[in-house]
Amino acid sequence: MRRRDFLEWPFFTPAHRDLAERVDSWAAQRFARQAHDADAHPEDRDSVDAACRERVRDLGRAGWTRYSVPLDPEGPAAEFDVRALALIRETLAWHDGLADFAFAMQGLGSGAICLAGSPEIKRRYLPRVAAGEAIAAFALSEADAGSDVAAIKCSARRESQDGSDIYVLDGQKTWISNGGIADFYCVFARTSPPELRPDGSVTARGISAFVVDAQTPGFSIARRIDLIAPHPLATIAFTGCRIPAAQRLGAEGEGFKLAMRTLDIFRTSVAGAALGFAQRALDEALKHSLARPMFGKTLADLQLTQAALADMATEVDAARLQTYRAAWLRDRGETVTQEVAMAKMAATESAQRAIDRAVQIFGGRGVVHGETVERLYRDIRALRIYEGATEVQKLIIARELLNSARRA
Ligand SMILES: Cc1cc2nc3c(=O)[nH]c(=O)nc-3n(C[C@H](O)[C@H](O)[C@H](O)COP(=O)(O)OP(=O)(O)OC[C@H]3O[C@@H](n4cnc5c(N)ncnc54)[C@H](O)[C@@H]3O)c2cc1C
């Protein structure tokens, strides 16, 4: 089975196959020098920012970020092609983790606008996102509200200013990807105080969504955060940040549902990215084990190596089936909460194992800065945490299972 054979699976249309091949050829050319180019994986913050901006622009010019926003942004309901999103992410991740990140954030950062923005807001932001001319960010998490995201405290108070309706935002958001380089942020904030359940947990009511431009007075970058696999990330702050009420996305109090709907669409593409990293690790491990002389043979001739390769290939294949099944079901309009959670967990967890095996197969070289498998080892880690950590996916799967067992 060759790397791209899965494109023949019945989950895809001819247009998907064509798209995946075109993205692959483009990325192969765009990132051709990468393996030997120290600048391709910059570590210092300014270079990371510049490299990320450049990738957004290049992805836009090549036409790929057009898939991050629905084809008809003026339409009554946003239609995402989840298979296309996952295929693009898998392909980009195979070639370049930062390109995958840049692509993913254009979608996640503008998803709430696609789903609930007014026609005027859609017109103002989406064409520039699709063209790679504006950088988007999704600002939900807070220091004390990550997995327990309903516990957010950032507030949006409605006021009147010179006869116009405005909201005044106060508080902080953290772990915000593209924080520091984004042109705008889709921000989730409380428009009414938290309601507590008897057990002390917070309900999801009273949260609303807004678009905030990066130049708005009262918005600032509180702190930049440096990651093991660098991409722009920051804690952002709102201090009496006044925005027109027309910048609200959807109805007041409906923000939590909007955040979850946005994540529901893009979570499958996280699994796609994990597949790209895992497949790259498998390809590197195959190449290296065939080339590495050992005990008068090659590393590939040793049965323990073969066992590792077999485990890697089987896990990647299983995760890929789950991922594209979830994407296919979603594109058919079905409710796929359980399938998406399974795909995200299976793909990210198995990718971590596959990459770890590849590092082991490379021996000492596997932990040297600049080696592809070393970069993959760092690239994969955050995917098991963001957009719902593995433990959260397990809770979702179990909840769905138990609910249907109770109904039966
Ligand atoms: C690289 C990166 C990029 C990110 N980008 C963004 C972004 O662009 N926008 C944004 O809003 N957020 C972003 N995040 C935040 C991300 O979504 C959170 O980190 C994630 O939701 C986990 O929250 P936390 O870090 O606060 O960990 P916690 O919520 O404190 O979780 C700690 C641990 O507890 C586990 N846990 C959770 N619930 C349970 C349970 N019921 N039982 C047992 N264990 C449990 C978790 O799985 C985890 O292992 C990003 C994070 C990272 C690392």
Side-chain angles (χ1 to χ4, degrees), residues 138 140-141 146-147 175-177 231 233 382 385-387 389 391 395:
F138 176 82
L140 178 64
S141 305
S147 305
W175 309 121
I176 306 311
S177 293
H231 75 229
L233 193 79
I385 298 169
Y386 66 58
E387 293 193 40
E391 292 73 12
L395 295 177

Side-chain angles (χ1 to χ4, degrees), residues 182-195:
D183 293 292
F184 66 88
Y185 296 76
C186 283
V187 181
F188 298 84
R190 291 213 151 273
T191 36
S192 51
E195 282 176 21

Side-chain angles (χ1 to χ4, degrees), residues 121-350:
I121 288 197
K122 285 181 178 176
R123 262 194 302 278
R124 187 155 6 118
Y125 293 94
L126 295 184
R128 290 190 296 134
V129 176
E133 289 162 7
I135 297 182
F138 176 82
L140 178 64
S141 305
E142 297 181 8
D144 293 328
S147 305
D148 183 10
V149 72
I152 64 171
K153 293 195 183 103
C154 184
S155 67
R157 201 174 61 252
R158 197 164 184 151
E159 282 187 6
S160 181
Q161 179 178 284
D162 306 327
S164 310
D165 266 356
I166 61 158
Y167 284 94
V168 185
L169 272 65
D170 282 288
Q172 290 204 345
K173 296 276 167 190
T174 195
W175 309 121
I176 306 311
S177 293
N178 278 342
I181 69 162
D183 293 292
F184 66 88
Y185 296 76
C186 283
V187 181
F188 298 84
R190 291 213 151 273
T191 36
S192 51
E195 282 176 21
L196 290 185
R197 294 193 189 90
D199 67 0
S201 63
V202 184
T203 73
R205 291 199 200 100
I207 295 172
S208 305
F210 306 90
V211 195
V212 180
D213 290 321
Q215 316 89 317
T216 312
F219 170 85
S220 63
I221 302 298
R223 185 170 76 94
R224 291 292 300 263
I225 303 167
D226 298 320
L227 294 164
I228 55 171
H231 75 229
L233 193 79
T235 301
I236 59 176
F238 302 92
T239 316
C241 179
R242 304 165 108 76
I243 56 166
Q247 292 291 98
R248 197 185 66 222
L249 300 171
E252 196 171 279
E254 295 294 312
F256 185 85
K257 276 192 217 142
L258 182 55
M260 293 307 118
R261 281 172 64 207
T262 309
L263 288 170
D264 259 5
I265 290 162
F266 291 98
R267 202 168 270 151
T268 315
S269 76
V270 180
L275 292 174
F277 292 138
Q279 183 66 52
R280 182 65 184 264
L282 175 57
D283 293 342
E284 296 293 325
L286 286 166
K287 211 162 51 181
H288 179 72
S289 60
L290 284 167
R292 172 80 173 146
M294 202 177 286
F295 303 116
K297 310 176 195 167
T298 68
L299 186 53
D301 292 316
L302 306 176
Q303 287 188 334
L304 287 176
T305 312
Q306 293 172 9
L309 294 170
D311 284 342
M312 289 162 83
T314 306
E315 287 201 50
V316 172
D317 202 39
R320 194 178 268 130
L321 279 161
Q322 284 185 299
T323 302
Y324 290 111
R325 175 189 64 173
W328 170 71
L329 286 171
R330 175 67 177 61
D331 287 342
R332 279 162 45 117
E334 297 191 25
T335 305
V336 287
T337 313
Q338 184 176 326
E339 288 84 353
V340 170
M342 285 175 163
K344 203 256 178 188
M345 177 170 79
T348 56
E349 292 291 327
S350 64

